[in-house]
Amino acid sequence: DIVMTQSPDSLPVSLGERATINCKSSQSVLYSSNNKNYLAWYQQKPGQPPKLLIYWASTREFGVPDRFSGSGSGTDFTLTISSLQAEDVAVYYCQQYYTTPRTFGQGTKVEIK
Amino acid sequence: ESQVVESGGGLVQPGGSLKLSCAASGLMFSGSVIHWVRQASGKGLEWVGRIRSKGNNYGTTYSPSVQGRFTISRDDSKNTAYLQMHSLKSEDTAVYYCTIPILEADAFGLWGQGTMVIVSS
């Protein structure tokens, strides 16, 4: 199984500041035949299901604010919130869809400092 | 608008069985892959399994943690997928989500609100 490890577990950030979450996979999720990284990011607020933010490691889902961006390739990925807003307080998960079983990172809780 | 609605959760004794449903609307259900993901209280997300479409012979794949105990099926005439759970354990206690990938990638774009399963005596 591909193990997804996120850091940090908790991230206090001041409003308007940048938040950076890292995700590392135990093996590459880059598919060489199409040069795509099979990596997604989700946001989950309390009492709600997860919401897809980013897929193919860097493509924003429709309707997601452009302050959210994804980067990285192979085994190392980053989700960046360029200017934290109050509504961004949530737990963020990375997930690989390169192979089964699909696996998620343990989550990073973003909160206001 | 596309949506999925899970149902069937509840309290069940250890060793018991339960069948969850996932009813979809507003999308081409028959062509969709259906995944189940669960989340224990205060914990992270865990993929349970998936069922492919008729075109892929309704192929199923499961997490090792549920393999042999859980079965995913679907009835395309009812736009509904199912998660049959047997030999339930306390560690199966969780909110169970049905989710469907977006067209562009196998990332989970459509989620239901989930249904709670509690395994306890």
Side-chain angles (χ1 to χ4, degrees):
Chain A
D1 299 2
I2 297 178
V3 177
M4 308 298 291
T5 304
Q6 291 180 226
S7 62
D9 291 333
S10 179
L11 182 60
V13 178
S14 300
L15 288 173
E17 295 300 304
R18 178 183 299 260
T20 301
I21 301 169
N22 299 302
C23 174
K24 189 174 184 67
S25 57
S26 61
Q27 65 187 75
S28 177
V29 298
L30 173 63
Y31 193 37
S32 56
S33 67
N34 60 10
N35 200 38
K36 287 182 179 289
N37 289 283
Y38 285 57
L39 189 284
W41 288 96
Y42 302 86
Q43 174 193 65
Q44 188 178 32
K45 298 180 180 180
Q48 296 183 19
K51 173 188 175 182
L52 177 64
L53 297 176
I54 303 280
Y55 57 95
W56 296 136
S58 60
T59 302
R60 261 190 309 276
E61 170 67 324
F62 180 78
V64 173
D66 61 7
R67 64 180 180 274
F68 291 92
S69 63
S71 63
S73 185
T75 61
D76 292 280
F77 301 91
T78 300
L79 175 70
T80 301
I81 310 172
S82 60
S83 175
L84 189 76
Q85 305 299 303
E87 60 265 33
D88 301 333
V89 169
V91 178
Y92 292 84
Y93 296 93
C94 62
Q95 177 237 339
Q96 63 80 18
Y97 50 97
Y98 183 86
T99 188
T100 56
R102 302 285 191 255
T103 47
F104 294 85
Q106 80 276 18
T108 295
K109 187 175 184 178
V110 173
E111 54 193 14
I112 306 297
K113 184 190 290 184
Chain B
E1 182 183 356
S2 303
Q3 67 173 355
V4 291
V5 179
E6 304 92 339
S7 61
L11 175 63
V12 60
Q13 292 190 338
S17 299
L18 202 61
K19 187 173 185 177
L20 308 182
S21 298
C22 167
S25 59
L27 67 148
M28 178 79 120
F29 181 83
S30 62
S32 301
V33 179
I34 311 298
H35 294 253
W36 288 91
V37 172
R38 67 184 181 183
Q39 185 172 37
S41 181
K43 302 298 184 182
L45 301 166
E46 180 188 12
W47 181 79
V48 172
R50 72 166 179 204
I51 184 166
R52 288 174 151 166
S53 65
K54 181 180 181 181
N56 285 287
N57 298 315
Y58 301 122
T60 54
T61 310
Y62 301 95
S63 166
S65 63
V66 307
Q67 179 78 47
R69 299 189 299 123
F70 289 12
T71 301
I72 301 173
S73 61
R74 62 193 295 163
D75 184 341
D76 290 344
S77 69
K78 296 181 179 179
N79 284 357
T80 301
Y82 305 96
L83 177 64
Q84 176 70 61
M85 304 182 291
H86 295 295
S87 303
L88 283 161
K89 308 174 183 179
S90 58
E91 52 262 44
D92 296 318
T93 295
V95 174
Y96 284 73
Y97 295 103
C98 166
T99 181
I100 297 178
I102 58 174
L103 291 175
E104 298 85 351
D106 204 24
F108 303 143
L110 182 61
W111 295 75
Q113 289 299 310
T115 187
M116 182 74 197
V117 173
I118 300 173
V119 183
S120 174
S121 56

